């Protein structure tokens, strides 16, 4: 049975579920940073997923990246699965701006997270749901 | 017309062409590190590609990651497109080991590259071509 890795659970706020993936907001207000976790147990690498699930994860990742870029007016989207610390397969989608505190380096391990104010996750959820309005049911609470 | 970004050209060794992407070896012997660059001009984000090309890039990326992990006995594959410095869309596929010099952090911007000895690219090309033997024509010189 799928269970979210405890470290991912600690470091993120839940946004909702896409058809395959749980969508999380990294609890770091320095960067608009979403994480997709396929709701499949025991999966660490992209190619551990079944072929159809691989395609679905890429599709969800690309749509989330495109949508987040439009929402944020980001300069560049960073899309990555690393998993050196948390083994559960998870995909980072991060909106980067020339003035952000890690630019142009990667965000991981650079600065301590700055947690959001209360209610930020529901604000993001609403913004994303509106952005996905042309795809009814793509994001479920 | 497609032209490889000059910085990517400077920092890598050519391996060959996949159906969509040019396959490059990052000229840094510290990590087995391949880069896929879709041979399409003016593309910076994943979603700048046509939908069929998006699927093709993900497919090529996943197959290269799976193959490189098997070749290297890697602990974890890192797959990422960042592009904060080089705007041309390119996908990193990096084989990570617990004892590598950046572990468990990301590899970018950590240590100066250690260039390969002469001939390394052709050795990698041959290893990859053999590994892709069940997919004739997947990797062309």
């Amino acid at each position: 049975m799928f269970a979210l890795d405890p470290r991912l659970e600690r470091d993120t706020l839940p946004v909702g579920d896409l058809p395959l993936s749980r969508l999380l907001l990294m609890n770091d207000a320095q960067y608009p940073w979403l994480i997709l976790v396929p709701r499949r147990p025991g999966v660490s690498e992209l190619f551990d997923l079944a072929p159809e699930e691989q395609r679905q994860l890429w599709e969800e990742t690309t749509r989330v990246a495109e949508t987040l870029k439009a929402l944020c007016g980001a300069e560049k989207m960073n899309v990555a699965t690393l998993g050196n610390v948390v083994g559960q397969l998870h995909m980072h989608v991060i909106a980067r701006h020339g003035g952000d505190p890690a630019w142009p380096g990667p965000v991981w391990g650079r600065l301590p997270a700055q947690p959001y104010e209360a209610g930020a996750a529901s604000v993001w959820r609403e913004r994303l749901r509106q952005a996905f309005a042309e795809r009814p049911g793509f994001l479920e609470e």
Side-chain angles (χ1 to χ4, degrees), chain A:
Chain A
M1 208 176 82
F2 171 74
L4 189 61
D5 176 275
R7 181 156 172 170
L8 285 175
E9 188 155 25
R10 187 192 71 195
D11 294 346
T12 66
L13 302 164
V15 174
D17 275 352
L18 305 174
L20 175 64
S21 309
R22 183 144 301 161
L23 187 61
L24 307 167
L25 175 67
M26 180 66 93
N27 194 7
D28 185 347
Q30 297 173 103
Y31 323 92
W33 181 346
L34 295 168
I35 294 180
L36 290 82
V37 184
R39 296 187 303 280
R40 294 291 178 270
V43 168
S44 177
E45 300 279 8
L46 293 167
F47 40 83
D48 293 340
L49 292 169
E52 183 46 49
E53 293 171 340
Q54 294 177 24
R55 284 188 285 273
Q56 181 64 28
L57 175 60
W58 291 128
E59 168 68 17
E60 293 179 5
T61 298
T62 309
R63 294 295 79 73
V64 166
E66 187 169 24
T67 302
L68 188 60
K69 183 171 190 182
L71 276 177
C72 301
E75 195 161 329
K76 189 67 187 66
M77 298 306 297
N78 291 178
V79 173
T81 178
L82 305 179
N84 306 334
V85 177
V86 171
Q88 184 174 58
L89 180 62
H90 59 290
M91 188 73 78
H92 299 273
V93 176
I94 310 159
R96 304 298 308 275
H97 294 88
D100 76 38
W103 184 267
V107 299
W108 303 277
R110 289 287 283 261
L111 293 163
Q114 294 184 5
Y116 280 104
E117 306 283 319
S122 57
V123 171
W124 272 101
R125 186 186 301 125
E126 193 46 44
R127 292 183 71 192
L128 288 163
R129 184 170 288 122
Q130 287 179 14
F132 289 132
E134 84 287 5
R135 294 176 170 246
F138 186 64
L139 174 62
E140 302 281 1
E141 203 161 335

